[in-house]
Amino acid sequence: MKFSENWLREWISLDLDSTTLKEQITNSGIEVESISKFDPIFHNVLIGKVIACHDHFKFSYLRIAKVDIGREKILSILCAASNCRVGIKVAVAIPGAILPRKKTVKIQEIYGIWSEGMLCSFFDLGLFFYTNSIIEFDKNVIVGDDVNNCLLLKDNVIKINTISNRPDSLSILGLSRNLAAINNFKLPSLKKKLVHVLIDKQFFIDVKATTKCINCFGRLIQDVNINVETPFWMQKKLFLCDMLSDNVIKNIINYVLVELGQPLNVLNADNINDAIIVRMANQQENVLLKDNIKLLLNENILVLSDRDKILCIPGNLNTAISVIYKITTYLFQ
C-alpha cells in the first residue's frame, strides 16, 4: 500500500519528523518498505490570467491568448486547449521555464504566431493523466505567484507491506489509530452527514452466501454527472497512491477505500433485473470484464447478481464499472 504522508498527517496531527513517523509505524508491527520524496520538477511556472482569447486566423482549433502574469509585459501564447477563455486563471510556463521530461519553454513562431510561453495542463507539469484541458485555478489565487505555492505538491510517499492478519494497516484511518495509541493521541471523529432518502425506487438485496457476506447495504443515487472533473485535492492524494483514475466515480471509490478501508461497488441501476443477490458463483459460470475479457468462475468466488446475470465480483472495479460511461444512475453497494 502506498499513501501520502500529508494525507496521514491530516488524521494524526503529531509533531513528528518523517523518520520518527516511520519508526512508529514499524513499531506497530507494520513494515515500512520505503519513504520517497515527491517534489515535481518544474520551474518558472506562474499564475496568469487570460485577458483576451480569439481563434487563430487559419486553424480554428487553435487560440491566441493574451495573458497577464503580473509583470509589465502581457504575453501572447498560442494554445490548443478547448477550455481556454477570457477571465480564467491559468498555469503559465514563461520563456526559460523547465518542465518535466527535460522540456524547456522558448519563444517560438508557430503557424505564423510568436508564442511567448505555454499554458499548462496537469500532465504538462508531470501530474495525473493526459488531457487537452489547461489548469483552471480558483479566482482567489494571486496573478504572478509561483504555481508551486498554489498546488502544495511537496510530500513524502510511504510504501508499506501488509499481511493478511493486519487489515488495520490497509487504510489511513487504521494507521492513524495505531499512531494515536502509541502517542496517547485522540483521533478526530468521523463526520457524519445524514442524507434523507428521496427516491422511491428500491432494489431488494438477498444475501444467500451468509458465510462469506454478513451484511450488504445499498443506496440508490440518481442524476450523477460522470463527466465532472475529480477535485484537485482528491486527484493529488490518489495520484501519490497510484490509484488515480480518469473517472470520478472510480476515484470516489478508491478514495474511500484508501482513507477508511471500506470497499465499495458501484452498479448500473438500469442494468439490474429486480433484485441484487449476494451468492457464490456457479461452477464454470463466467462474467464479462472490460475490453470483452471473459472470466471463468468457480464455486469459491463471491458475486453480486440479479435474477439472471452476474453484475460484478465484489471489490473488482473491472467488473463493477464495465459500462460506467453509458450510465446515469448508480447504486452504491
Side-chain angles (χ1 to χ4, degrees), residues 280-284 297-302:
M280 306 307 294
N282 299 318
Q283 193 69 27
Q284 300 296 307
L297 307 179
N298 59 47
E299 296 174 346
N300 297 317
I301 298 176
L302 187 71

Side-chain angles (χ1 to χ4, degrees), residues 182-243:
I182 292 173
N183 294 279
N184 195 25
F185 183 87
K186 185 177 180 180
L187 285 178
S189 59
L190 288 171
K191 296 179 181 179
K192 299 178 182 179
K193 183 179 180 180
L194 180 63
V195 180
H196 296 286
V197 176
L198 301 175
I199 302 170
D200 293 332
K201 185 176 181 180
Q202 296 181 0
F203 288 99
F204 174 68
I205 299 177
D206 183 7
V207 180
K208 294 185 179 297
T210 55
T211 58
K212 296 291 184 179
C213 177
I214 300 174
N215 290 314
C216 185
F217 302 95
R219 184 75 183 253
L220 192 66
I221 301 177
Q222 291 182 324
D223 302 323
V224 176
N225 181 6
I226 64 172
N227 296 313
V228 70
E229 185 176 359
T230 303
F232 171 74
W233 58 267
M234 183 180 289
Q235 290 192 67
K236 181 167 65 171
K237 290 177 178 178
L238 293 176
F239 178 73
L240 296 178
C241 297
D242 287 341
M243 294 188 69

Side-chain angles (χ1 to χ4, degrees), residues 215-285:
N215 290 314
C216 185
F217 302 95
R219 184 75 183 253
L220 192 66
I221 301 177
Q222 291 182 324
D223 302 323
V224 176
N225 181 6
I226 64 172
N227 296 313
V228 70
E229 185 176 359
T230 303
F232 171 74
W233 58 267
M234 183 180 289
Q235 290 192 67
K236 181 167 65 171
K237 290 177 178 178
L238 293 176
F239 178 73
L240 296 178
C241 297
D242 287 341
M243 294 188 69
L244 179 64
S245 166
D246 57 354
N247 182 287
V248 66
I249 302 299
K250 289 184 181 179
N251 285 337
I252 292 171
I253 292 172
N254 288 340
Y255 186 89
V256 173
L257 180 64
V258 175
E259 184 163 67
L260 303 181
Q262 175 62 57
L264 301 173
N265 281 105
V266 177
L267 304 176
N268 178 359
D270 297 331
N271 196 40
I272 300 173
N273 179 12
D274 187 43
I276 298 171
I277 303 170
V278 185
R279 63 175 175 85
M280 306 307 294
N282 299 318
Q283 193 69 27
Q284 300 296 307
E285 193 172 14

